[in-house]
Amino acid sequence: GYGPLPPSSSSDRADSSERRPQAIRDKEREKDKKEEPPEPVQLTVLIPGDSIARVIGKAGAGLKLIRESSGGVKITVQEAGDDRSAPRRVELTGQPGNIGAAAGLVLQQAAAGQGLLSLEVAILIPNKFTGQIIGKGGERLKLVRETTGVRIQVDRDPVETKEGAEPERMLTVTGAPTAIGNGLALALGAGRAALTGEPNLTDLAAPTHSEVHTMPDDPEAVQVHFVIPGRLASAVVGRHGGNIREFTEQTGCSRITLSSRTNSADRRFICIGTLEQVQQAEQLIHEAATGGTDAAGMDRDSLDQVTAIFWIPVELSGAVIGRQGATLGAIREQSGVKVQFGKEEVKCMRPCMIIGPLSAVLHAQSLVYGILVKEQAIKGPIKRPAVDEAGSEVKRFRSDGLPQETTKLLIPSRSAGAVIGRQGSGLGRIREHCGVKVEMLTQAQAPQWGEDRVVVLQGSREGRQLAIASVLQQAFPHEDGLPA
């Protein structure tokens, strides 16, 4: 038999490795390189001394929130010097996507309560990452600008550091807080999937798609999603949902519900009703959330800026946007808010996100609603098939502006005369006794049913059930087993 092979020496293995084709060795090296975890990145945000307390939070609650919400990024805050107003270094260490999320949260908390829609901040990065951030011919900076709307300027020369410390390069970054976080993540090499959703509308509809509800037939009804930090959701909902029930009764909204949990740190309260009802609900939600900040270890200032998503019918979106965005620009100017209009279409609606102080957001919503009313007066009511919450089409007919469910049933053409009756008396009896509208379609109206006729019943559920029984009784007078 064959005996065991002698163990190969390290020199034998090296010789064997060298004898393998170069292409195979290159693939193996590339595989090993991919399996290695990416190198952590360190980034420093310079925060004004008078804003650092909002970042730290009560007993460090703000820093804890940033760590938990950004996937465990390490955060170090520079000790205060003699000049309390001097900028403080907030050092973040972690993976690019997490670093971006953490930077966005730091800036959000630092700017809370100041009413700033756009920031210009100083960021320090290790000098070795400069080329990666700029990209060949500035292509990375261009990608960041086009994807997130954030502008990054890179200083030509490194800044002075302590002796022995790694050289740093200063970035001047301009944009909204979360957008800046997304821009930094993208600049440092994170994929687009790592970018956070608020307030970047590229990802806005993904977490809310299943939360967008089919609108009632009431032409005055609107749907607004009011965004609050997830940690405050229980304060708004109340024990066993008591607050939500009370808010619904108090405002008259047809719906106030809380969105399901997602990877986002925020939750959305979905409000449907007239504009007046929805705005009253938003104020109650904001008041309840503010009342819960102390228990959640958050500063009340964190709710000075709010986000609301106003869902606009697709047919009316153009009027809200205006030619080359002129109408949106006018809304921003008149109300002092930030407005972004999403391209995503969900249940025949598009999201219009409004960010600013609550009073300014409500003002902007009123301006948007005024445009919708004016455009509907010109175009007339929006006509489209109704759909249920699962997206399936539900056939409905409108009468005097009130939604009424419709049932259609087929009967043999030979029985049509018995149902219609002499001079329509059969249909008349069904209308009178069952309280529904009834119509027999001609064969020309429903040519696909050549051997049958279509009976359309419109009214309440109970009335339609009675009418179905009556139609079948008249169509099949001598047959048993028909529904009572």
Side-chain angles (χ1 to χ4, degrees):
Y2 295 101
L5 292 173
S8 59
S9 66
S10 59
S11 60
D12 291 335
R13 289 195 295 271
D15 291 343
S16 173
S17 174
E18 291 300 323
R19 287 195 297 269
R20 281 194 296 248
Q22 181 66 36
I24 294 177
R25 281 184 281 152
D26 289 345
K27 282 186 178 179
E28 289 176 346
R29 289 196 192 98
E30 187 65 27
K31 181 181 178 183
D32 291 341
K33 194 182 298 182
K34 287 180 180 178
E35 290 175 352
E36 292 177 2
E39 179 185 0
V41 177
Q42 181 172 311
L43 176 148
T44 299
V45 186
L46 297 181
I47 299 296
D50 55 3
S51 301
I52 198 67
R54 287 192 290 270
V55 175
I56 297 172
K58 292 182 179 179
L63 298 180
K64 182 181 178 183
L65 172 64
I66 295 169
R67 274 193 295 270
E68 292 175 351
S69 303
S70 61
V73 166
K74 182 181 177 182
I75 309 172
T76 305
V77 179
Q78 178 189 18
E79 293 290 337
D82 295 334
D83 184 0
R84 292 280 175 173
S85 64
R88 301 268 291 277
R89 291 173 63 102
V90 178
E91 296 177 354
L92 309 172
T93 306
Q95 300 304 321
N98 298 344
I99 284 281
L105 289 168
V106 167
L107 294 172
Q108 278 185 334
Q109 293 180 191
Q114 299 183 39
L116 300 175
L117 300 179
S118 182
L119 306 177
E120 182 177 288
V121 297
I123 306 286
L124 296 172
I125 60 165
N127 194 49
K128 63 183 179 182
F129 290 112
T130 305
Q132 176 183 333
I133 287 177
I134 296 174
K136 187 176 181 180
E139 61 182 9
R140 176 73 65 171
L141 296 179
K142 182 181 179 183
L143 174 65
V144 169
R145 187 169 60 251
E146 292 177 348
T147 304
T148 66
V150 170
R151 294 183 176 274
I152 299 178
Q153 292 183 324
V154 183
D155 281 10
R156 289 180 175 274
D157 302 314
V159 298
E160 293 184 7
T161 57
K162 294 180 181 179
E163 187 175 349
E166 186 175 0
E168 293 178 320
R169 192 72 68 95
M170 181 174 285
L171 312 178
T172 303
V173 188
T174 307
T178 304
I180 288 177
N182 284 337
L184 291 171
L186 203 57
L188 291 167
R192 295 183 189 225
L195 307 187
T196 55
E198 286 274 272
N200 184 355
L201 270 174
T202 302
D203 302 315
L204 172 64
T208 61
H209 190 292
S210 61
E211 307 296 344
V212 179
H213 290 265
T214 301
M215 292 298 292
D217 287 328
D218 182 358
E220 294 186 0
V222 299
Q223 180 169 175
V224 174
H225 294 189
F226 194 74
V227 183
I228 67 164
R231 296 169 66 187
L232 299 174
S234 59
V236 178
V237 173
R239 190 175 182 182
H240 304 304
N243 287 350
I244 293 298
R245 288 193 295 273
E246 183 180 333
F247 295 167
T248 304
E249 293 173 3
Q250 187 173 339
T251 62
C253 284
S254 62
R255 179 188 293 270
I256 302 177
T257 55
L258 177 62
S259 68
S260 57
R261 293 182 184 274
T262 67
N263 292 330
S264 172
D266 295 328
R267 302 288 292 277
R268 293 166 169 76
F269 281 88
I270 299 144
C271 307
I272 300 178
T274 66
L275 181 68
E276 183 179 355
Q277 292 169 342
V278 166
Q279 290 189 333
Q280 187 180 355
E282 290 177 281
Q283 293 176 73
L284 291 171
I285 291 167
H286 185 263
E287 183 180 343
T290 303
T293 51
D294 288 342
M298 298 176 62
D299 286 330
R300 292 185 171 228
D301 289 350
S302 62
L303 292 177
D304 285 352
Q305 294 280 309
V306 301
T307 299
I309 303 162
F310 196 146
W311 289 88
I312 307 296
V314 170
E315 296 87 344
L316 306 179
S317 297
V320 176
I321 296 170
R323 188 173 183 180
Q324 297 181 339
T327 306
L328 283 182
I331 293 171
R332 293 188 188 101
E333 186 175 344
Q334 291 180 45
S335 59
V337 299
K338 181 175 181 181
V339 184
Q340 294 183 7
F341 213 99
K343 295 180 180 179
E344 185 77 16
E345 181 179 321
V346 185
K347 294 184 181 175
C348 301
M349 293 181 287
R350 288 174 62 185
C352 177
M353 186 163 66
I354 307 172
I355 305 170
L358 178 61
S359 59
V361 168
L362 298 179
H363 182 203
Q365 289 174 352
S366 298
L367 294 174
V368 170
Y369 183 72
I371 295 168
L372 298 181
V373 170
K374 183 177 179 181
E375 192 69 10
Q376 279 184 310
I378 297 171
K379 292 187 174 182
I382 297 172
K383 298 180 181 180
R384 65 165 67 99
V387 294
D388 60 20
E389 291 301 336
S392 302
E393 185 173 327
V394 178
K395 298 295 184 184
R396 292 182 182 175
F397 290 80
R398 292 173 62 91
S399 174
D400 299 326
L402 298 175
Q404 293 188 331
E405 298 292 339
T406 298
T407 298
K408 296 180 181 180
L409 66 154
L410 295 176
I411 61 170
S413 294
R414 65 177 183 274
S415 302
V419 175
I420 296 171
R422 188 174 182 180
Q423 296 182 337
S425 59
L427 296 180
R429 280 195 301 272
I430 294 172
R431 292 189 190 98
E432 184 176 349
H433 294 158
C434 304
V436 299
K437 294 181 69 173
V438 58
E439 179 185 11
M440 177 86 71
L441 300 185
T442 65
Q443 288 184 325
Q445 289 174 306
Q448 67 271 35
W449 306 108
E451 303 298 321
D452 299 304
R453 297 288 291 277
V454 179
V455 180
V456 181
L457 305 172
Q458 180 184 354
S460 68
R461 183 172 180 270
E462 294 76 14
R464 284 180 288 118
Q465 287 177 334
L466 290 173
I468 289 171
S470 295
V471 169
L472 296 178
Q473 293 269 357
Q474 291 176 209
F476 309 99
H478 304 298
E479 296 185 34
D480 295 328
L482 297 178

